Amino acid sequence: MIKASTPQVVCRYLGELNRTLAGLADDVRQGIVAGVAEELEGLDAAAAASRIESLGDPAFIAAEARAEARAGAGAAPSPSAANLAPSRASEERWYVVVTALLLEFGGLLVPLAGWVAGIMLLWASALWTRGEKLVATIVPPAVGVVLFSGFAIGGSGVAWWHALVLGAIAGPALASIVIGIILSRRGWFRVGEAGRGRGALKTAPR
Amino acid sequence: MTADVGAQLRKGVVEYCVLGLLASEPTYGWQLSEALVSRGLIASIGTLYPILSRLRTQGLVSSFDRQSDAGPSRRYYRVTETGHCQLTIFREQWGPFARTVNELVGEGIP
């Protein structure tokens, strides 16, 4: 609690600390600010300045807090994406199924948008590695471009239609189906492994 | 292989070190941070609170406010019953694990 008698150096430091911690979970942000405020409370300006010096730059504290929060959240790329990804095993299995189906057939049901939705779910989850996510995102369009180019270059009317069908539709669709099957198997396996881990160390910290 | 071996090792055990410290006595954030920073387990108080948040979410740690005689009211953290169980499991596993690693990376092995 900031009081009228609180030294300016403390007010400034706590204000800056609070600002630099923006974006972190509320309990983490409030915990840090309250923990530091507790320690500085009742100190005169000189003693507070000395304590603040030992604490360090607010930007450093915030960077450390963000790094630890990210490490604790596994491979979740951002707070908003982390919220999308489920945490319970049963929900995770559904998540794997829905993501895989969207990757495999989403683009056929709702052209492009369905596949994009699957890619977004894929990137929002920590069940798959960054490499797998990149492959799923890049390979289908790349297959389309390669096939289309191969058939279209120097082709006549019929060859151009083949290029369009194979390059723009069949090639990417086939690549997406294969990738979706592989990633769904891996995701399903990882959910099972995580479930067994939770069973052995039921509430083990990550 | 990662270059920062120390960071990788700390990542695996720092939460149990927090539980271990809190198991000996309820402690407030700054005091906990000082104990961990001085031992090189965390870099700053900024590292501590995300860990405490996770431990609270998992039900391993709880907090309470305590008014001190001379100083300000502080938020203290203590280990819950589940946290004590978790710490016991870790202690049972840590001894054999550390011995095995020592055997494998000991000085006598090229």
Side-chain angles (χ1 to χ4, degrees), chain A residues 27 38-39 68 205-206, chain B residues 15 30 53-54 74-75 86:
Chain A
D27 65 328
E38 281 171 12
E39 192 60 25
E68 182 58 38
R206 281 174 294 192
Chain B
E15 285 163 329
W30 182 287
S53 174
R54 285 202 297 276
R74 292 182 185 277
R75 173 147 296 181
Q86 197 65 55

Side-chain angles (χ1 to χ4, degrees), chain B residues 19-45:
Chain B
L19 288 180
L21 280 170
L22 294 178
S24 59
E25 62 171 337
T27 307
Y28 56 89
W30 182 287
Q31 191 181 11
L32 198 52
S33 167
E34 294 279 279
L36 293 164
V37 169
S38 66
R39 291 170 169 88
L41 284 164
I42 62 171
S44 78
I45 199 167

Side-chain angles (χ1 to χ4, degrees), chain A residues 75-77 81 95 118-126 128 130 133-134 137:
Chain A
Y95 195 88
I119 290 294
M120 287 173 70
L121 289 178
L122 185 73
W123 279 94
S125 171
W128 293 281
R130 187 177 173 78
K133 291 169 182 174
L134 284 172
T137 307

Side-chain angles (χ1 to χ4, degrees), chain A residues 5 13 19-20 24 31 34 41 44 58 73 76 83 90 92-96 108 127 144 150 162 166 170 181:
Chain A
S5 58
Y13 188 80
R19 278 192 299 278
T20 55
L24 280 160
E41 192 176 333
D44 61 33
N83 289 340
S90 58
E92 285 172 341
R93 288 200 191 284
W94 274 110
Y95 195 88
V96 170
L108 298 176
L127 282 171
H162 284 168
L166 281 172
I181 290 170

Side-chain angles (χ1 to χ4, degrees), chain B:
Chain B
M1 293 284 270
T2 175
D4 194 349
V5 176
Q8 292 296 321
L9 290 173
R10 283 192 293 275
K11 196 185 292 184
V13 297
V14 69
E15 285 163 329
Y16 293 101
C17 293
V18 172
L19 288 180
L21 280 170
L22 294 178
S24 59
E25 62 171 337
T27 307
Y28 56 89
W30 182 287
Q31 191 181 11
L32 198 52
S33 167
E34 294 279 279
L36 293 164
V37 169
S38 66
R39 291 170 169 88
L41 284 164
I42 62 171
S44 78
I45 199 167
T47 316
L48 175 64
Y49 280 89
I51 295 171
L52 283 175
S53 174
R54 285 202 297 276
L55 294 174
R56 286 177 67 183
T57 302
Q58 292 163 353
L60 305 180
V61 160
S62 64
S63 65
F64 62 98
D65 292 330
R66 179 188 284 174
Q67 185 73 43
S68 65
D69 295 335
S73 169
R74 292 182 185 277
R75 173 147 296 181
Y76 280 73
Y77 298 86
R78 66 180 158 214
V79 180
T80 62
E81 201 173 322
T82 312
H84 279 292
C85 289
Q86 197 65 55
L87 190 58
T88 302
I89 292 170
F90 178 76
R91 284 174 179 145
E92 287 168 358
Q93 295 187 359
W94 177 253
F97 176 79
R99 275 196 297 279
T100 302
V101 174
N102 280 336
E103 282 170 21
L104 292 173
V105 302
E107 288 179 21
I109 297 173

Side-chain angles (χ1 to χ4, degrees), chain A residues 55-154:
Chain A
L55 257 178
D57 189 346
F60 170 68
I61 294 173
E64 289 295 323
R66 288 201 174 84
E68 182 58 38
R70 275 197 302 273
S78 69
S80 57
N83 289 340
L84 275 175
S87 55
R88 286 203 311 237
S90 58
E91 293 173 5
E92 285 172 341
R93 288 200 191 284
W94 274 110
Y95 195 88
V96 170
V97 170
V98 171
T99 305
L101 286 175
L102 282 172
L103 284 178
E104 292 162 10
F105 307 111
L108 298 176
L109 294 173
V110 185
L112 193 60
W115 178 78
V116 170
I119 290 294
M120 287 173 70
L121 289 178
L122 185 73
W123 279 94
S125 171
L127 282 171
W128 293 281
T129 67
R130 187 177 173 78
E132 288 167 344
K133 291 169 182 174
L134 284 172
V135 166
T137 307
I138 294 170
V139 168
V143 167
V145 169
V146 168
L147 285 178
F148 185 83
S149 304
F151 280 92
I153 292 172

